[in-house]
């Protein structure tokens, strides 16, 4: 069974950076997924500005993506941070990441030519109201009654 890991930002950021082949991250927060005592996936949230946050997601196993894990990984930026956009960037040559982004519900928004020379980077975005992993979730907030729901039942 998968277990979510919080509060181990430095370790999870190093693990993620190694998996995706970068030097590291600046100010950021990470959530990890552990199975059988090993980290099998992590998401690092960084570069929050003007309602948009970027995520870098890495996985070493296909077994990380349960519904509850996906709910948590999308609830953090949209419900806890309050972002209205989530952005991910990946190497166009990384077919597994391209497929995963599509399956998670991201929309291709652009390309950065030769960002990963000789390959392009593909920019993927998701709006909060497009996120199928948090649909119907209000993060404990009380919604305002509609006219129909405010009427007494007879």
């Amino acid at each position: 069974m998968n277990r979510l890991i919080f509060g181990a930002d430095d370790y999870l950021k190093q693990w993620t950076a190694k998996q995706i082949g970068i030097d590291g991250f600046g100010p950021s927060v990470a959530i990890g997924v552990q199975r059988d005592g090993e980290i099998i996936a992590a998401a690092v949230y960084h570069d929050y500005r003007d309602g948009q946050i970027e995520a870098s997601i890495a996985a070493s196993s296909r077994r990380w993506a349960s519904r509850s894990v996906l709910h948590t990984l999308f609830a953090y930026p949209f419900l806890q941070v309050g972002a209205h956009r989530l952005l991910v960037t990946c190497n166009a040559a990384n077919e597994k990441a391209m497929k995963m982004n599509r399956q998670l519900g991201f929309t291709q928004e652009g390309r950065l030519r030769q960002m990963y020379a000789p390959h392009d980077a593909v920019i993927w975005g998701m709006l909060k109201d497009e996120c199928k992993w948090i649909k119907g979730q209000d993060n404990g907030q009380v919604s305002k009654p509609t006219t129909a729901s405010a009427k007494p039942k007879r």
Side-chain angles (χ1 to χ4, degrees), residues 45-59:
Y45 302 93
H46 51 93
D47 296 315
Y48 179 71
R49 65 192 174 281
D50 300 324
Q52 173 180 281
I53 194 165
E54 188 166 352
S56 296
I57 304 168

Side-chain angles (χ1 to χ4, degrees), residues 89-93 110-122:
T89 304
C90 74
N91 187 325
R111 281 191 173 292
L112 300 172
R113 296 178 303 140
Q114 294 191 13
M115 175 81 174
Y116 303 107
H119 304 290
D120 294 350
V122 177

